[in-house]
Amino acid sequence: MSVLSDLARALTDRKIRVVDLTAPLSHETPILELPPEFGQTQRFTFEEISRYDDRGPGWYWNNFRTGEHTGTHFDAPNHWVTGKDQGDISGVPAEVFLRPAVVIDVTEQVAADPNFVIEREHLDQWQQEHGPLPDGGWLLCRTGWSARTTQQEMINNTDTGPTSPGMSAECAQWVAEQTGVIGIGVETVGTDAGAAHSFDPAFPCHAFFLGAGKYGLAQLQNLDQLPATGALIIATPLKIVDGSGSPCRVLALVED
Ligand code: MN
C-alpha cells in the first residue's frame, strides 16, 4: 500500500472527515468596509448571460464581478505594501495549498469582548498544552465570529468603528517572523482586528505576515469542527495573474 492509496481508502471509508471551511459566496456575503476616502472592494455580483432562453436555449451561465478579497479568500503577499515584492496569488507555490493547521480557540474571550486580540501569552499557553506551532502550517484563530452572517453583524460598527477580534501587533510580528507558521486564518472579513487601523503598525497581521512572504485566509467557517492539532487544510485560490488574493474553497481533512 502507498500513502496515497491509504488516504484514498480512508476517505471512501469515511475514516477521514472532510470539513468545508468556506462561506457561501453571493451578493449577501459580507465585505470589508474602509473609510470613504479609500477605494472600496465590491460585493460578489452575478450578470446572467443566459438561462435556457433566447440568449442560450440549452444552457445557463453567468459572468460575475467580485473583489479579490470577498468571502472566504486567500491573501497573497503582494496584497500589502510590506510584501509588494514577495509575489502575487498566481505565484504561490502549489504545495502551499495543502498544509497542516492548528486551531486556537478564543471563542469565550470574544463572546465577552468583541475587540479581543490574541496575545503572545495565549499562544504560549496553547503551546504548553498542544506542542509547538507547526512548521509550514496554518495558525487558525477560532473566534465564533462566523456565526455573524450579515454585513452589519460581521463588521459590527460601533462608536469606534469596526469592532471585531484579531491579533495584537506584537503577537503578529512574533508569529510571522519567529515561527515556521506559513499563515494566519480567521473567521472575520480580513486577518486583522476591526480596530487594527489604530494599532502600531496599522493592520499588523497584514503588515507582518505578508511582509514575511506568508499568507492569510479570511472568512473561514466551521472551525469548531476541527481539532486543535492534526487537520490538513486544502485551500485553492484562483490563479489570477498579478492578483493580490482570490476567493477560494477551503477544506479541512480531519482524522477522527
Ligand atoms: Mn484579504
Side-chain angles (χ1 to χ4, degrees), residues 77-120:
N78 71 341
H79 177 43
W80 220 249
V81 63
T82 51
K84 64 185 166 70
D85 301 320
Q86 300 262 19
D88 72 329
I89 194 72
S90 72
V92 179
E95 64 264 25
V96 170
F97 305 147
L98 293 132
R99 290 296 174 107
V102 298
V103 182
I104 180 168
D105 179 10
V106 293
T107 308
E108 274 182 35
Q109 294 95 315
V110 171
D113 173 13
N115 273 316
F116 177 81
V117 290
I118 296 171
E119 300 280 3
R120 175 79 187 274

Side-chain angles (χ1 to χ4, degrees), residues 1-246:
M1 297 290 282
S2 73
V3 173
L4 273 182
S5 59
D6 286 349
L7 172 63
R9 174 160 303 236
L11 284 163
T12 53
D13 290 350
R14 311 226 169 187
K15 288 179 179 154
I16 289 176
R17 204 156 34 92
V18 181
V19 182
D20 194 344
L21 306 184
T22 318
L25 187 56
S26 76
H27 194 65
E28 308 303 315
T29 303
I31 54 172
L32 187 75
E33 293 176 11
L34 290 177
E37 64 267 32
F38 297 119
Q40 304 293 326
T41 189
Q42 296 209 348
R43 290 185 173 278
F44 180 92
T45 310
F46 266 152
E47 174 204 317
E48 194 173 272
I49 304 171
S50 71
R51 193 159 193 162
Y52 330 118
D53 53 25
D54 291 347
R55 300 167 298 171
W59 50 93
Y60 167 54
W61 57 343
N62 304 289
N63 293 313
F64 63 78
R65 181 181 176 91
T66 184
E68 294 169 328
H69 299 257
T70 294
T72 302
H73 70 272
F74 196 115
D75 286 358
N78 71 341
H79 177 43
W80 220 249
V81 63
T82 51
K84 64 185 166 70
D85 301 320
Q86 300 262 19
D88 72 329
I89 194 72
S90 72
V92 179
E95 64 264 25
V96 170
F97 305 147
L98 293 132
R99 290 296 174 107
V102 298
V103 182
I104 180 168
D105 179 10
V106 293
T107 308
E108 274 182 35
Q109 294 95 315
V110 171
D113 173 13
N115 273 316
F116 177 81
V117 290
I118 296 171
E119 300 280 3
R120 175 79 187 274
E121 70 196 63
H122 302 114
L123 291 178
D124 289 344
Q125 192 184 337
W126 186 95
Q127 290 187 98
Q128 279 173 22
E129 234 177 291
H130 301 287
L133 296 174
D135 271 343
W138 295 98
L139 172 60
L140 305 183
C141 304
R142 177 183 163 198
T143 56
W145 208 256
S146 59
R148 296 165 173 259
T149 55
T150 68
Q151 181 71 20
Q152 169 52 25
E153 289 171 337
M154 181 63 87
I155 303 303
N156 196 31
N157 272 306
T158 66
D159 293 346
T160 56
T163 303
S164 56
M167 184 175 279
S168 75
E170 188 220 350
C171 187
Q173 182 168 26
W174 178 74
V175 179
E177 296 180 358
Q178 305 296 324
T179 79
V181 163
I182 200 165
I184 182 174
V186 302
E187 297 182 41
T188 43
V189 290
T191 54
D192 272 298
H197 56 88
S198 64
F199 293 5
D200 184 19
F203 306 106
C205 288
H206 286 87
F208 290 122
F209 280 92
L210 304 181
K214 295 183 173 182
Y215 310 103
L217 287 173
Q219 228 168 305
L220 298 172
Q221 297 194 337
N222 297 323
L223 295 183
D224 58 323
Q225 295 179 38
L226 304 189
T229 65
L232 178 70
I233 299 299
I234 303 170
T236 54
L238 299 177
K239 200 165 184 170
I240 303 171
V241 175
D242 206 31
S244 74
S246 165

